[in-house]
Amino acid sequence: MRRIFLPLSLVFLCGLSHAGILPEAQREELLSLVLQNFWGKAKLSNGQFAQPASETERTTVPISRAVANRAFDVGEVSGLAEWCSLDWQSNYASLTKGARNRGFSDKQVAFVSFLHGAAQGRIASAMSKSGACGA
């Protein structure tokens, strides 16, 4: 029964994420925080830290709003999965693979990763305050 319930739970959780668990104001706050903390801290695929090519790049979100929302959506699901001690890594890997397949640059993939992590952390932290994930 548990083997059937877990996949169905994730389908339900994925459905929730498309509605946006994090309100728009929190998404805006996270987007701003990620942009402020991204440069010099995000590692690229070559192991180097992401650095802006210009001051304009430093202050400009390197992905579209739709892609940012997708990263938040996936991060929300990952946060719920983390809270329930379920695999969230495959969810994250699918997100970054999709970005690479769409031709995103290393900086863009790293930014997507940071957004995902911010949303995941926010949701996992909030849910852990409510107690353990139930069966």
Side-chain angles (χ1 to χ4, degrees):
M1 179 69 168
R2 184 170 167 92
R3 286 182 178 212
I4 294 171
F5 180 73
L6 288 177
L8 289 176
S9 297
L10 285 177
V11 167
F12 172 72
L13 294 176
C14 287
L16 283 177
S17 76
H18 295 295
I21 295 170
L22 294 171
E24 188 62 31
Q26 284 188 30
R27 287 178 175 220
E28 287 298 325
E29 173 192 342
L30 285 176
L31 185 63
S32 178
L33 284 171
V34 166
L35 186 59
Q36 292 170 22
N37 293 292
F38 177 72
W39 302 109
K41 296 177 183 158
K43 277 199 175 179
L44 303 175
S45 63
N46 63 7
Q48 295 181 348
F49 290 102
Q51 295 297 336
S54 67
E55 189 57 32
T56 299
E57 186 177 30
R58 177 183 301 283
T59 60
T60 303
V61 175
I63 57 174
S64 71
R65 185 62 189 180
V67 172
N69 279 325
R70 177 70 179 142
F72 284 137
D73 289 345
V74 175
E76 290 169 346
V77 173
S78 293
L80 291 170
E82 179 183 341
W83 172 56
C84 292
S85 299
L86 298 172
D87 171 43
W88 61 265
Q89 290 91 347
S90 60
N91 194 33
Y92 166 73
S94 178
L95 175 69
T96 56
K97 181 180 179 183
R100 284 186 192 94
N101 287 344
R102 290 180 62 198
F104 285 28
S105 71
D106 272 357
K107 288 179 186 177
Q108 290 173 312
V109 173
F111 197 83
V112 166
S113 294
F114 262 51
L115 290 179
H116 171 274
Q120 178 182 357
R122 181 75 52 104
I123 294 297
S125 175
M127 296 309 292
S128 68
K129 292 176 184 166
S130 70
C133 178

